[in-house]
Amino acid sequence: MNAVTRRAQLEKALTERILVLDGAMGTMIQTYGLEEADYRGERFRAHPVPLKGNSDLLSLTRPDIIAAIHRAYFEAGADIAETNTFTSTAIAQADYRLEGAVRDLNLAGARLARAVADEFTAREPHQPRFVCGILGPTNRTASLSPDVNDPGFRGVTFDQLVAAYTEQAEALLDGGADLLMVETVFDTLNCKAALFAVRGVFQRRGADVPLLVSGTITDASGRTLSGQTLEAFWNSVRHADLFSIGLNCALGAKQLRPYVEELAGLADRRVSCHPNAGLPNEFGQYEQSPEEMAAMLGEWARSGFLNIVGGCCGTTPAHIRAIAEAVKGHPPRRIPDTPRVTRLAGLEPLRMWPGSLFVNVGERTNVTGSSKFAELVKQGDYDKALDVARQQVENGAQIIDVNMDEGMLDSQAAMVRFLNLIAAEPDISKVPVMIDSSKWEVIEAGLKCVQGKGIVNSISLKEGEPAFVGRATLVRRYGAAVVVMAFDEQGQADTVDRKVAICARAYRILTEQVGFPPEDIIFDPNIFAVATGLAEHSGYAMAYLEACRRIKQTLPHCLVSGGVSNLSFSFRGSNRVREAMHSAFLYHAIQAGMDMGIVNAG
């Protein structure tokens, strides 16, 4: 049976019933009481470091055990086997000096699960079995520093994660995986790197493989380890055209219930959950019985929360058998239609409905908008630069604009350093970031630092359609919204007709060629300075207002933004005049459809 047929069977099964994932691989491996020799086998007999505890290695050295575990879970009623590849990346295997074995680990893990799944499908064709290739979180975090003395330091980079996950995904697919799951996500930036890698693999191979994400809520605060709320996490990963979104690990079913209910209401995708068998005791053991766990998950099924369910740490074939029985006969969750609104995220979510709320984008963390901030960055005084960002958020900025385009700065290094430092400050990083630069390499470097869903400011048609499409495609893969300037090959638009025509052309390209959601497109129809002494400049403010109206009337779901301080450049030094001009202009611009503006939030 080929992969296309198996996908069709999977889609069909999910319309009919709740599908069951298997349980914990590690829990079952522990029951075998394995020793160092089992992990080494013949191939690694002379390996220079201890290997006991490297469970993924058993796919090569004790394939009989891994196959037996898959078989036990299928016998218990599982529809989907997860491959024994949770730590099979070069980053995680570096602890064992086994980076060179990564491809073999993933090939073997997928092939073992594939063989057992095919065995059960042949035996029970009415219940086809599937293989889910597992990509674990690694033992590094891209959003947090491992050095308490340097919060801007990172133990792993986005690019290193992409390379590791690319190698893993290629091998899992070559081994026969039907689905891929980025699992146990505790840092959303790690996850975004995995999604970037996997989507790149799919594109190169011309593959259409279901891609799943399962995050982990680490404690009663309802946040991931890297600090995001559940809705912020969902906003940050939903760009990747996911087959399902879910939660696993860290907590038991009782503790996870409110978050699964929340996710079931948020997500316009299938929802999965595979919780632990309760919370571990003082010896690290999981004591929740199959009956207790199944009773809870059965209630979730009756409540309409689930499309896919299984077990994580501490679960056994007995747990999976009880869960499968408990959810049998209950219809799968119906996927809701969710409104088209712009969904951004820092550590916390930000929803933006056109016309419902004017969003302040703090401009003081922009070296071109604040001489004080520029001087602090040039001096390397990032502590005080962070205070500027903090003041913007305290004064009401719902997004902060970060721009490091200054001739005396290494803009790319300054952008990376500042964004990494922001990530360590929850009172700042709770809001989304607008990554602002005229240099694409600076924007891309910034996108690799932000775990939430931010905004790129900006791209345009200035360099022609191919460059525009290429950059927009990457912005989408990185998971950001985008500001599009009214700027084309002939220059910046200053008349109403040119502003609207350029925005309409960009909208068609983005929505029809790139697949960009219209609600993630933010047009900037150019606010130019008035009262410059040139008569032809006197109508610039009115041109912006009229362009706002026509854009909102003709380009559904998009937003409109602008740099308000541009309006009053002719009055630099006269702050009271400038503030009055900005207030009057914003009053009319918001009525015309302006949704957000780069302003001094204070």
Side-chain angles (χ1 to χ4, degrees):
M1 188 189 305
N2 63 37
V4 175
T5 304
R6 287 198 296 269
R7 170 148 191 170
Q9 288 185 326
L10 178 67
E11 297 267 14
K12 182 175 185 295
L14 279 162
T15 65
E16 298 169 345
R17 58 195 174 87
I18 297 168
L19 294 192
V20 179
L21 279 170
D22 60 9
M25 177 64 70
T27 297
M28 292 300 293
I29 288 172
Q30 288 172 13
T31 66
Y32 284 83
L34 301 179
E35 298 298 336
E36 180 73 19
D38 294 292
Y39 290 88
R40 287 182 174 273
E42 187 57 32
R43 176 172 172 178
F44 302 102
R45 186 165 55 86
H47 196 69
V49 299
L51 297 176
K52 185 177 179 180
N54 186 358
S55 297
D56 292 12
L57 196 54
L58 297 172
S59 298
L60 294 172
T61 60
R62 291 298 307 269
D64 56 318
I65 289 176
I66 303 306
I69 293 170
H70 287 316
R71 194 169 286 111
Y73 279 123
F74 281 140
E75 291 279 10
D79 299 288
I80 304 169
E82 299 170 81
T83 57
N84 181 39
T85 56
F86 188 77
T87 63
S88 294
T89 57
I91 292 169
Q93 288 298 318
D95 287 353
Y96 297 98
R97 301 188 200 171
L98 286 174
E99 300 96 315
V102 162
R103 178 167 171 81
D104 289 347
L105 290 174
N106 287 285
L107 279 173
R111 286 170 176 167
L112 284 168
R114 173 83 276 141
V116 180
D118 290 347
E119 171 192 323
F120 275 79
T121 298
R123 186 195 307 175
E124 301 170 341
H126 64 281
Q127 187 185 354
R129 305 309 211 278
F130 306 97
V131 174
C132 184
I134 294 300
L135 298 89
T138 82
N139 50 359
R140 307 281 180 88
T141 169
S143 288
L144 302 171
S145 173
D147 183 352
V148 294
N149 298 311
D150 184 0
F153 175 72
R154 294 294 181 269
V156 69
T157 68
F158 189 93
D159 289 339
Q160 289 168 337
L161 288 163
V162 170
Y165 282 124
T166 296
E167 180 183 28
Q168 184 175 31
E170 291 275 13
L172 287 169
L173 293 177
D174 288 344
D178 300 308
L179 314 85
L180 295 182
M181 181 191 288
V182 183
E183 188 192 49
T184 320
V185 175
F186 59 76
D187 181 349
T188 310
L189 189 53
N190 285 40
C191 180
K192 288 170 71 177
L195 298 175
F196 189 94
V198 171
R199 281 291 167 206
V201 170
F202 290 173
Q203 184 177 13
R204 287 190 294 276
R205 297 169 72 111
D208 181 22
V209 177
L211 177 56
L212 297 71
V213 165
S214 184
T216 185
I217 300 296
T218 55
D219 57 37
S221 71
R223 293 178 183 261
T224 63
L225 183 67
S226 56
Q228 281 196 310
T229 67
L230 181 58
E231 184 175 351
F233 169 64
W234 167 232
N235 288 359
S236 303
V237 301
R238 67 192 300 273
H239 66 278
D241 190 23
L242 299 178
F243 189 76
S244 76
I245 181 72
L247 295 170
N248 74 286
C249 205
L251 303 176
K254 180 179 180 180
Q255 295 79 18
L256 270 180
R257 189 194 187 283
Y259 307 116
V260 176
E261 181 177 14
E262 180 185 357
L263 190 59
L266 284 172
D268 56 353
R269 297 289 187 276
R270 298 172 184 89
V271 165
S272 72
C273 189
H274 49 300
N276 292 349
L279 296 175
N281 61 24
E282 61 270 26
F283 304 107
Q285 297 170 328
Y286 296 86
E287 299 178 329
Q288 193 166 75
S289 71
E291 294 74 23
E292 290 174 300
M293 191 171 180
M296 295 178 193
L297 297 183
E299 186 270 321
W300 296 7
R302 291 192 298 276
S303 299
F305 298 164
L306 298 172
N307 301 99
I308 302 169
V309 67
C312 200
C313 302
T315 57
T316 65
H319 288 85
I320 297 307
R321 181 174 289 105
I323 290 167
E325 187 62 34
V327 303
K328 184 190 297 184
H330 296 297
R333 166 183 167 271
R334 296 185 64 180
I335 299 172
D337 289 325
T338 55
R340 280 197 174 273
V341 298
T342 305
R343 301 170 192 271
L344 305 175
L347 296 181
E348 298 173 5
L350 175 64
R351 296 190 204 181
M352 296 170 60
W353 288 268
S356 66
L357 172 72
F358 183 78
V359 172
N360 294 312
V361 182
E363 68 177 355
R364 311 311 284 179
T365 45
N366 181 327
V367 294
T368 66
S370 169
S371 57
K372 175 186 175 183
F373 181 74
E375 194 59 34
L376 291 170
V377 175
K378 281 190 283 188
Q379 292 172 0
D381 192 345
Y382 282 98
D383 286 342
K384 289 184 179 176
L386 286 170
D387 287 339
V388 175
R390 186 174 291 105
Q391 289 161 10
Q392 287 286 279
V393 177
E394 290 172 351
N395 287 333
Q398 292 126 304
I399 299 169
I400 55 169
D401 177 88
V402 180
N403 182 306
M404 297 293 181
D405 288 359
E406 211 281 343
M408 299 296 290
L409 284 174
D410 179 339
S411 300
Q412 185 170 325
M415 178 67 78
V416 169
R417 181 70 179 167
F418 191 64
L419 291 179
N420 283 347
L421 288 168
I422 283 176
E425 304 289 337
D427 52 344
I428 304 172
S429 58
K430 67 182 181 180
V431 304
V433 172
M434 179 178 281
I435 301 167
D436 186 350
S437 180
S438 60
K439 304 170 186 175
W440 173 252
E441 62 273 17
V442 175
I443 287 174
E444 191 165 17
L447 286 166
K448 295 174 183 179
C449 299
V450 176
Q451 72 162 324
K453 180 179 177 181
I455 303 170
V456 164
N457 186 12
S458 61
I459 62 173
S460 75
L461 287 158
K462 177 183 178 181
E463 297 173 40
E465 284 192 20
F468 180 73
V469 168
R471 289 173 181 175
T473 300
L474 279 171
V475 171
R476 180 74 180 140
R477 279 184 64 194
Y478 283 114
V482 68
V483 173
V484 180
M485 301 296 294
F487 202 138
D488 67 2
E489 300 89 340
Q490 280 70 54
Q492 281 188 287
D494 54 0
T495 67
V496 174
D497 289 343
R498 283 249 308 140
K499 291 174 191 284
V500 175
I502 292 171
C503 292
R505 177 186 170 200
Y507 184 92
R508 287 193 300 273
I509 294 168
L510 289 172
T511 57
E512 296 173 12
Q513 292 185 40
V514 181
F516 226 99
E519 64 271 23
D520 282 353
I521 303 169
I522 303 162
F523 287 112
D524 185 337
N526 305 327
I527 299 174
F528 292 129
V530 297
T532 64
L534 298 176
E536 57 266 33
H537 295 178
S538 61
Y540 279 165
M542 295 301 294
Y544 177 89
L545 298 178
E546 180 56 28
C548 281
R549 292 188 186 95
R550 285 168 57 179
I551 288 168
K552 297 305 283 287
Q553 289 166 0
T554 58
L555 306 178
H557 308 297
C558 73
L559 301 181
V560 174
S561 182
V564 178
S565 61
N566 296 354
L567 182 79
S568 62
F569 273 170
S570 300
F571 296 91
R572 279 172 289 185
S574 303
N575 286 341
R576 292 187 67 183
V577 173
R578 296 191 73 183
E579 289 167 6
M581 291 176 69
H582 297 166
S583 296
F585 179 77
L586 279 171
Y587 173 79
H588 294 285
I590 293 168
Q591 289 186 331
M594 186 180 186
D595 300 284
M596 56 195 293
I598 301 174
V599 298
N600 183 345

